[in-house]
Amino acid sequence: MNGRLKASGGAVGGGLLVAGTTSDAGKSVVTAGICRWLVRQGVRVAPFKAQNMSLNSFVTREGAEIGRAQAMQAAAARVEPTALMNPVLLKPGSDRSSQVVLLGKPVGELSARGYHAGRQEQLLGTVTDCLQELRRTHDAVICEGAGSPAEINLRRTDIVNMGIARAARIPVVVVGDIDRGGVFASFFGTTALLSKEDQALVAGYLVNKFRGDVTLLEPGLAMLRGLTGRPTLGVLPFAHGLGIDEEDGLRVSLRGAVRESVVAPPHGADVLRVAVCAVPLMSNFTDVDALAAEPGVVVRFVDRAEELADADLVVLPGTRGTVRALEWLRERGLADAIARRAAEGRPVLGICGGFQMLGEHIEDEIESKAGAVDGLGLLPVRVRFAAEKTLARPAGEALGEPVEGYEIHHGVAEVTGGDEEFLDGCRVGSVWGTHWHGSLESDGFRRAFLRRVAADAGRAFVPAPGTSFGTLREEQLDRLGDLIEEHADTGALLRLIEEGVPEGLPFVPPGAP
């Protein structure tokens, strides 16, 4: 890195914003890949996303809640995640409102209109200060945008795309997903819908998910440069299993990587089938990634009762709407199917909101404001929703193995019985419940749990002894770094990070209205 940008001696480190033509264009993956490539060059780098909307979150060691994607980007950068890396997290509770988490702590619920009408703009100073602090303590900060920077209806209050780029005066690279089609129009249109001042920060483009012969793409890239005056800084090939922990969606984010890197048959005679109930406002479904990492474990998301019939393990995941999810389970017949499984001694696991649903009684004046609600009655647990959110990083032992996890919940559980304790929850028969997210990433515990599940399910499944979830995750992050190193113009990226916005970038009409 250029010495003038080093964080040592009080200088400010370099920065880059990775924007996208659309949501899910690959911003998170590219940001993580650049972080891993830079740290392998000896650069002290940190990720940053000013504002994230996601139900997949993580708890830092200081007890702050941030997006899971930023936690994984921190892992790519080989640094400890902190609240500075994601100062604003929005957790949807409905189509119209979200819980606002500021610097890792919830500060209230706001409608989309209320947030964009004033609250968001007020937060620009906070997010700028966080970015400045990261730049002060690191050689480089790689920022991730959200959605598209050309959302002209939201530009006035934007703090995550061009708003933060303008405030911090950092260059912008726009990522486009060519697998969706229309990538040239998307690059041109995104640029042409920005104001002259915003366009002056857009330094180039990255094509993502390309299949085929790159030489066939080159004439279009040359024409795009002629139209916009900006180069394409890389063409990243399509590759399965390169996603990091998802912001939203229904993808088991490590599954592709595991299948490509391990390609191993079941260690025992049987596979183990896991059905995850895709409840409304599902949160932290990344909990089941570690199950998908095991050779012979087949994970799928389901929303119909008949899809539980051949499952060896049913997982009720976390949710931002426990009472709503309970209603959904009952409406679809899933609640009855789960109760039948429990009566037959077939395994069920509830995590966080799923654990709460398995209990006897819920008192909720906070999340749904529904008051007293009956749970599924499969565990001797009574839940009361508290105004204060529990954010913790617990560690302990279960099934004779060490376990680590993290907690994110308003529900306070009172366990009144059970056959045995299970983390902070309990087990009754083949029904298990805990508030701990991430526990299945502890390798020894995961294998012990799967052995119990296989025995209860009558399956000759044996967990592979050498599967390391942490190693698989590191391999995945290295693949992201390889993607940038091998297919992007790293020299040009480094110049942008070190030297800032290039002079003389042309204006592309018509600009923002």
Side-chain angles (χ1 to χ4, degrees), residues 173-187:
V173 173
V174 180
V175 179
D177 180 355
I178 198 170
D179 196 51
R180 295 183 174 187
V183 73
F184 294 117
S186 297
F187 283 142

Side-chain angles (χ1 to χ4, degrees), residues 301-312:
F301 291 90
V302 303
D303 59 6
R304 296 181 299 177
E306 56 268 29
E307 294 177 293
L308 303 187
D310 66 343
D312 302 306

Side-chain angles (χ1 to χ4, degrees), residues 169-220:
R169 193 65 190 170
I170 54 176
V172 177
V173 173
V174 180
V175 179
D177 180 355
I178 198 170
D179 196 51
R180 295 183 174 187
V183 73
F184 294 117
S186 297
F187 283 142
F188 181 85
T190 296
T191 308
L193 275 178
L194 300 179
S195 68
K196 183 176 181 179
E197 295 78 11
D198 285 351
Q199 284 191 30
L201 300 177
V202 176
Y205 311 110
L206 272 171
V207 176
N208 192 29
K209 299 183 184 178
F210 179 73
R211 307 172 191 250
D213 184 350
V214 176
T215 61
L216 299 176
L217 196 63
E218 289 172 352

Side-chain angles (χ1 to χ4, degrees), residues 35-367:
C35 285
R36 178 48 60 100
W37 161 65
L38 284 172
V39 77
R40 294 195 306 207
Q41 312 309 308
V43 177
R44 292 174 297 174
V45 58
F48 177 78
K49 186 162 185 172
Q51 172 193 296
N52 194 355
M53 178 173 282
S54 178
L55 287 172
N56 282 335
S57 58
F58 182 76
V59 178
T60 67
R61 295 211 176 273
E62 71 267 30
E65 185 179 9
I66 65 172
R68 284 250 353 162
Q70 281 61 65
M72 284 295 285
Q73 289 163 354
R78 296 179 180 147
V79 295
E80 189 68 30
T82 74
L84 293 174
M85 297 172 184
N86 180 205
V88 181
L89 174 63
L90 305 178
K91 303 193 72 175
S94 69
D95 293 339
R96 294 178 177 269
S97 68
S98 294
Q99 182 181 68
V100 180
V101 178
L102 180 61
L103 294 173
K105 303 297 181 183
V107 294
E109 295 272 340
L110 274 180
S111 68
R113 179 177 293 275
Y115 184 66
H116 290 288
R119 179 60 167 162
Q120 184 179 33
E121 198 171 10
Q122 296 168 8
L123 294 173
L124 180 59
T126 299
V127 301
T128 303
D129 288 346
C130 291
L131 175 56
Q132 183 72 5
E133 177 62 17
L134 288 174
R135 294 180 74 183
R136 188 184 67 80
T137 54
H138 295 80
D139 300 333
V141 179
I142 308 303
C143 308
E144 180 188 344
S148 163
E151 291 167 353
I152 53 179
N153 57 315
L154 302 177
R155 176 61 186 92
R156 182 182 63 81
T157 57
D158 170 51
I159 63 172
V160 65
N161 290 305
M162 303 313 298
I164 190 69
R166 283 269 291 276
R169 193 65 190 170
I170 54 176
V172 177
V173 173
V174 180
V175 179
D177 180 355
I178 198 170
D179 196 51
R180 295 183 174 187
V183 73
F184 294 117
S186 297
F187 283 142
F188 181 85
T190 296
T191 308
L193 275 178
L194 300 179
S195 68
K196 183 176 181 179
E197 295 78 11
D198 285 351
Q199 284 191 30
L201 300 177
V202 176
Y205 311 110
L206 272 171
V207 176
N208 192 29
K209 299 183 184 178
F210 179 73
R211 307 172 191 250
D213 184 350
V214 176
T215 61
L216 299 176
L217 196 63
E218 289 172 352
L221 300 179
M223 285 186 275
L224 180 67
R225 181 161 192 166
L227 289 166
T228 67
R230 291 159 172 83
T232 296
L233 303 176
V235 177
L236 311 181
F238 186 98
H240 292 285
L242 287 182
I244 64 172
D245 289 13
E246 301 297 311
E247 291 184 355
D248 286 299
L250 280 181
R251 185 169 70 190
V252 183
S253 54
L254 268 177
R255 188 175 184 79
V258 168
R259 292 300 177 232
E260 288 178 12
S261 59
V262 178
V263 194
H267 192 68
D270 278 348
V271 299
L272 203 67
R273 296 175 175 84
V274 178
V276 185
C277 294
V279 297
L281 298 173
M282 182 167 54
S283 63
N284 288 73
F285 56 83
T286 48
D287 283 333
V288 299
D289 282 355
L291 295 179
E294 288 285 349
V297 175
V298 180
V299 177
R300 67 183 189 274
F301 291 90
V302 303
D303 59 6
R304 296 181 299 177
E306 56 268 29
E307 294 177 293
L308 303 187
D310 66 343
D312 302 306
L313 170 66
V314 170
V315 177
L316 285 179
T319 172
R320 175 85 164 83
T322 300
V323 171
R324 178 178 169 186
L326 262 175
E327 294 171 352
W328 182 86
L329 290 173
R330 287 171 170 140
E331 289 167 358
R332 289 175 171 261
L334 285 158
D336 289 340
I338 291 168
R340 287 194 297 271
R341 288 184 62 87
E344 295 165 1
R346 302 172 67 195
V348 177
L349 170 65
I351 302 174
C352 199
F355 168 44
Q356 296 166 7
M357 287 185 273
L358 291 171
E360 298 168 343
H361 183 80
I362 296 171
E363 190 72 32
D364 181 14
E365 299 291 351
I366 303 297
E367 190 175 77

